[in-house]
Amino acid sequence: MERQPVSLWINPHHLTTRKAQELYYLRMQRAKEKLDKTKMEDKNQCQRKLRVCVATCNRADYSKLAPIMFGIKKQPEEFDLEVMVLGSHLIDDYGNTFRMIEQDDFDIGSKLHTIVRGEDEAAMVESVGLALVKLPDVLQRLRPDILVVHGDRFDALALATAAALMNIRILHLEGGEVSGTIDDSIRHSITKLAHYHACCTRRAEQHLIAMCEDHSRILLAGCPSYDKLLSSNHRDDYMDIIRSWLGDKVQERDYIVALQHPVTTDIQHSIKIYGLMLDALISFNKKTLILFPNIDAGSKEMVRVMRKKGIEQHPNFRAVKHIPFEQFIQLVSHAGCMIGNSSCGVREAGAFGTPVINLGTRQTGRETGENVLHVRDADTQNKVYHALELQFGKRYPCSKIYGDGNAVPRILKFLRTIDLDEPLQKTFCFPIVKDSISQDIDHILETQSALAIDLGGTNLRVAIVSMRGKIVKKYTQPNPKKYEDRMQLMLKMCTDATRDAVSLNCRVLGVGVSTGGRVNPQEGVVLHSTKLIEEWSSVDLRTPIADVLQLPVWVDNDGNCAALAEKKFGHGKGVENFVTVITGTGIGGGIIHQNELVHGSTFCAAELGHIMVSLEGPQCSCGSRGCIEAYASGMALQKEAKRLHDEDRLNVDGMDMKLTEPITAAHLINAAKLGNCEADAVLNKASTALGVGIVNMLHIVNPSLVILSGILASLYQAPVQHIISERALVSAKNIKVVTSELEEPALLGAASMVLDYATRRTY
């Protein structure tokens, strides 16, 4: 007879012995432990590592993907990294560049030979088909949670297509950009297949939103390659690297880097441009490092042109198939010029200020810095040669259009937020355009910011300033007397501020510098400084700051900066013509005429403190006599206060003056308020001098508003308004004089140079 299974369930009410009761409670405890173990396993399952597969197709995309791969590899407790290699990485003619991935100590999980040789349109199509045949087996074996795909290559299109059809989530890098040719169509196709997007620029982000991608799945990260190039472009051994590729006699900035790829939508024309470029380079007679074109249709013909012209044997040329990215950075950053149509020219080269000549239409639509000279219709050798003459040897402000060196931390943080339980099916957003723009503008105002520097006679100040004019963080140090000490301190403070900006969620667009004296804003050079700032004449401020921070830099006089601050954040907002007068230690100012700052032919417009109001007045610091500054500045009032004090005519009843206390302009003002007639007479004379000078300004530039700024502004406002009403022409009598409400006009003005110009050009 078959035995029946024994039930483990025991009703405690039926237990009559102590032993049976113990058995019951023991079984209940084991059941609870088993339940707790199951819950813990479920929790661990929820917290499992994210399995990320990074697929790289060629040397160019590896330079963008490698920083992400290193970042993932450093966090094994959160991520499992799988590396897939395909495309031209595995072709001998293109340098077998998969070896550099192995040299970087990455384990390559899969190598797929997907290229059908032929270098024509049909071969590209067949290569996509071959990749689609091979990819399913690999993806099924790896089973990644997410596949990272870069850019706009036909290999990447095959990857995205296979992953999307196999329900694998896709993170696409550098979507939303515009560059012309078939690359745009491929890039946007991958965007529609991808579930998540890490883009490089604000404009690319807006393009993705316009393409109906979900805003919450778009990350404005910057280009990952900038993380590496901004941290490693200042190497001590850069000349060793340059000479290893171009010979021992080559000098920094005395050679050219050339990189030209075929344009698949107009192959014959791109081959013609390539020949003209080579002819121009031969005639230009400079050492040239030329890289072989990529594997796109037309590359074989371009190589034939190169060999027909004897480039590989020419003494001025070094033709190579591949250069490690770290060395390529050094070669580009120290080159006299880069020429061709590679995206490196319009992207990475801008970070170094390297001059670039962009030939043809391959990069049409790309965002570029001022270092790029476009020769879109490169139809003659002379045109290319002339472009070389214009660009070779120049240096431009460093640009961070494509990144600030912090893309990888942003991307890793973004990966951590991916919820694998949310629906895989993409949902496309069709927002009302107005709502989308409003949302985007708020984001810009919150995060975009400028680094502002104020070089005063006493203190050196640096601040992070937001688009709204809010000073997010400020740094203040005594201004050193020596030039070297001052530059060293300024660069250190700026470096600290840019590092802090990342943690404060501020995207620094550039650096604005406000300094005393006469400034050439076009070159970023202080021509002549005030006596308050020693050793500060003929000083190039733009170059050292741009070199260290890798940011564009603007420099202007503190008076002009005060006017710009009023225009963007103060009483001058929306006013087409106004004058700002700074009343502080000295007298300065700025003129806004038809919404533009007036600099003058030799950059000394708006030197309001040195308008003469008397032929035989007191000596001015400029060497002349009778200037406004000699009457109305803080230094002039202090001088008069000391004179009255020395003659024992300053102190009056009610004044609290200590014997050891230094005499300042504040004592003169206080004495006048307490009824000291002589002190009051000094202030009246100062007010009259300032008022007459401003009347002269009204009659010359005819502004609609006068803004008084600085510590003495409230003292002078009413008297100056009265003098205008008495002495100005009828048409100018009603011009209003107001006092500034800005607490930091110099810093805000320095920031406004960046915020107005950088946002207008870049976003």
Side-chain angles (χ1 to χ4, degrees), residues 69 132 229 235 250 273 320 355 384 387 397 474 501 504 506 511 522 547 581 603 634 659 670 725 737:
M69 293 161 64
L132 287 171
L229 65 90
R235 283 176 51 167
V250 72
I273 292 176
V320 297
V384 180
K474 184 166 66 174
L504 293 168
C506 291
V511 183
Q522 297 170 4
D547 285 348
V581 182
F603 313 108
L659 293 175
N670 192 25
S725 66
V737 180

Side-chain angles (χ1 to χ4, degrees), residues 497-603:
T498 52
R499 184 185 61 248
D500 293 345
V502 176
S503 60
L504 293 168
N505 195 32
C506 291
R507 187 181 182 86
V508 177
L509 301 175
V511 183
V513 184
S514 167
T515 181
R518 189 163 66 95
V519 176
N520 179 346
Q522 297 170 4
E523 301 294 334
V525 174
V526 181
L527 300 175
H528 302 290
S529 183
T530 62
K531 290 184 178 180
L532 294 174
I533 310 177
E534 300 174 16
E535 295 187 18
W536 206 241
S537 296
S538 301
V539 175
D540 178 4
L541 287 180
R542 173 181 289 169
T543 301
I545 298 174
D547 285 348
V548 170
L549 301 184
Q550 297 297 310
L551 284 169
V553 179
W554 290 265
V555 185
D556 213 329
N557 166 271
D558 51 5
N560 290 336
C561 285
L564 291 173
E566 295 293 339
K567 182 176 182 293
K568 187 167 182 66
F569 302 113
H571 291 301
K573 197 170 185 179
V575 181
E576 189 175 358
N577 301 286
F578 68 89
V579 173
T580 298
V581 182
I582 300 177
T583 58
T585 306
I587 300 289
I591 302 170
I592 301 293
H593 181 65
Q594 295 181 350
N595 289 316
E596 296 293 335
L597 189 63
V598 177
H599 284 102
S601 60
T602 57
F603 313 108

Side-chain angles (χ1 to χ4, degrees), residues 60 63-64 174 223 225-226 229 257-259 261 291 325 328-329 331-333 338-352 354-358 362-363 366-368 371-372 402:
S63 69
K64 315 292 178 68
E174 297 188 8
C223 182
S225 66
Y226 269 56
L229 65 90
V257 175
L259 180 52
H261 299 303
L291 281 83
F325 184 65
F328 188 63
I329 290 171
L331 288 160
V332 172
S333 65
M338 184 174 184
I339 187 170
N341 63 4
S342 168
S343 61
C344 175
V346 298
R347 295 170 68 98
E348 283 83 356
F352 314 122
T354 301
V356 172
I357 300 168
N358 180 49
R362 188 170 183 264
Q363 301 299 336
R366 286 272 194 198
E367 298 173 67
T368 64
N371 64 309
V372 178
Y402 286 96

Side-chain angles (χ1 to χ4, degrees), residues 84 305 396 499 532 640 642:
M84 186 193 307
V305 171
Y396 290 90
R499 184 185 61 248
L532 294 174
E640 288 297 302
K642 287 180 178 179

